[in-house]
Amino acid sequence: MEYQNLAIKNEDNILVVTLNRPKALNALNKQTMDELAHFFGEDETPKQLAIKGIVVTGAGEKAFVAGADIKEFLGMDAEAGSRLSRRGNDIMFLIERFPKPVIAAVNGFALGGGCELAMACHIRIAGEKARFGQPEVNLGIIPGYGGTQRLIQHVGKGKAMELAMTADMIGAEEAKALGLANHVVPVGEEVNKAKEIINKIAKKAPIAIAKVIECTNAYFTDCVNGFETEINSFGALTGSADFVEGASAFVEKRRAAFKGK
Ligand code: DAK
C-alpha cells in the first residue's frame, strides 16, 4: 500500500510514523485509518526482527491528532456509525497488541480520536505544549475508538468521567500527574525521548518484550486470565534460546546477544 497520510521514516531501525495532514491538524480521516490498519496489520516491514519499535507522532508544531475527521461524520447514520466505531476499535487493538514497543510522541493537541490513538500506544511522551482531551460530547457523540474504556485504564474512573463529560482539555503536566503521559519533555524533544526509550528496550530480549505487552494487555481483556497468560508466557520464555543466552551472559559477566528466538 502506498501511504498518503502517513510519512514513515526508518531512523536507526526505529520506524517513525508521522500522521501527515497538518492543514487538518492531522485529523483521522478514513484514508488515514486505512493506512494505520495496513501499517500495524498487514505491512511486514514493522514486524522485521531488526525493527526496534515504532514512534507515532503528528506533523507540524500544533497537533498530534485533533481527533477523528469531523467533516467525514456529517450525514452518517447509526449503522454506519457503529461500523466505523468497530473498525476504529479494531485498529486501536492492532496498535495496543503490536508485539514491539509503540510510543506516542504527543507534540500538540491529542483530542478525541487523537487521544484515543495515543492511549492505544504502549507509552506516551508529551511535549510541554501537548493538550489531551475527549471533547466528543461537544459534538453530541462519545469517544468511538475505545476512549471511554482506555481513559479509565489510564486515569481512573472519576477523572475519566469528568474529562469525557466536561470535554475539558488538560496540559502535559496534568496528564503526567494523572498517569496519562509517561514523561513531559521540551517542545521538539518528543520523538527523541521516545527513541531513547525504544533504544533502551531494544537491548532486552525481543520475545520477552512481546510477552510483557501481551501479559499487560491480558489484565484489561475480558475472558482472559492475566495470571494464566503470565504463567504460560513464562513457561514459553524459559524454553527460549534467548533465556539461555541471557542467563549464561549473566553468569559469564558479559553482555547478552539476543536473537529473538
Ligand atoms: N476534523 C476535521 N478538521 C479539523 C479537526 C477535526 N477533528 N480539527 C481541526 N480541523 C481543521 C479545522 O477545520 C481547520 O481547517 P480549515 O477551516 O482551515 O479548513 C484546521 O484544522 C485548523 O483548525 P482551527 O482553525 O480550528 O485551529 P485552532 O488553532 O483555532 O483550534 C483546535 C485548534 C484543535 C482547538 C480546534 O481545531 C478544534 O477544536 N478542533 C476539533 C477538536 C475536536 O472536537 N476533535 C474531534 C473530537 S471527536 C466515531 C468514531 C470516533 C469518533 C467519533 C465518532 N464513529 C465511528 C462515528 C471520535 C470523534 C472525535 O475525535
Side-chain angles (χ1 to χ4, degrees):
M1 180 180 203
E2 202 164 308
Y3 298 118
Q4 292 168 25
N5 297 336
L6 300 184
I8 296 160
K9 271 198 195 155
N10 185 333
E11 299 180 8
D12 185 26
N13 284 327
I14 295 172
L15 296 181
V16 179
V17 178
T18 303
L19 291 126
N20 194 21
R21 295 180 72 221
K23 283 187 186 152
L25 303 188
N26 306 316
L28 298 172
N29 63 355
K30 181 178 179 307
Q31 175 69 27
T32 310
M33 292 298 276
D34 286 347
E35 293 180 17
L36 283 171
H38 187 267
F39 179 80
F40 284 100
E42 292 140 54
D43 199 332
E44 286 307 313
T45 312
K47 296 176 189 125
Q48 287 168 4
L49 184 61
I51 299 301
K52 300 176 200 166
I54 294 163
V55 181
V56 180
T57 193
E61 288 169 9
K62 215 163 153 182
F64 171 70
V65 169
D69 194 315
I70 298 168
K71 292 164 191 170
E72 282 189 351
F73 290 147
L74 286 171
M76 202 177 279
D77 63 14
E79 199 186 317
S82 22
R83 210 169 38 239
L84 258 178
S85 183
R86 186 168 300 284
R87 169 139 176 89
N89 265 278
D90 288 347
I91 294 168
M92 298 305 152
F93 278 125
L94 278 178
I95 296 170
E96 186 170 69
R97 293 171 184 166
F98 199 77
K100 297 179 185 212
V102 182
I103 303 189
V106 181
N107 55 310
F109 290 112
L111 303 177
C115 190
E116 292 174 298
L117 173 63
M119 289 194 292
C121 295
H122 302 141
I123 292 172
R124 281 144 298 285
I125 309 299
E128 280 168 343
K129 290 196 176 153
R131 309 273 291 156
F132 296 82
Q134 296 291 161
E136 287 86 350
V137 290
N138 287 336
L139 305 171
I141 50 172
I142 60 168
Y145 297 159
T148 59
Q149 305 304 295
R150 286 196 185 89
L151 196 56
I152 299 168
Q153 296 168 9
H154 290 293
V155 306
K157 186 177 175 186
K159 200 69 199 178
M161 287 267 199
E162 183 184 337
L163 289 172
M165 289 198 281
T166 61
D168 280 350
M169 283 189 216
I170 57 170
E173 286 297 346
E174 188 174 356
K176 184 177 170 210
L178 289 171
L180 184 54
N182 296 60
H183 300 274
V184 178
V185 297
V187 169
E189 285 302 310
E190 301 88 351
V191 171
N192 285 339
K193 180 69 183 177
K195 284 160 71 175
E196 179 192 314
I197 294 173
I198 289 178
N199 276 321
K200 189 185 271 189
I201 296 171
K203 295 192 175 78
K204 322 297 179 197
I207 313 176
I209 297 303
K211 290 295 188 190
V212 169
I213 294 168
E214 185 184 337
C215 291
T216 306
N217 285 332
Y219 179 84
F220 299 102
T221 310
D222 280 346
C223 306
V224 171
N225 183 317
F227 290 100
E228 284 301 321
T229 308
E230 179 183 289
I231 291 162
N232 293 332
S233 300
F234 193 91
L237 289 167
T238 313
S240 74
D242 275 353
F243 171 60
V244 175
E245 168 61 13
S248 307
F250 176 78
V251 172
E252 292 160 21
K253 297 188 188 301
R254 62 176 173 83
R255 196 174 195 161
F258 294 118
K259 294 198 165 55
K261 288 182 183 158

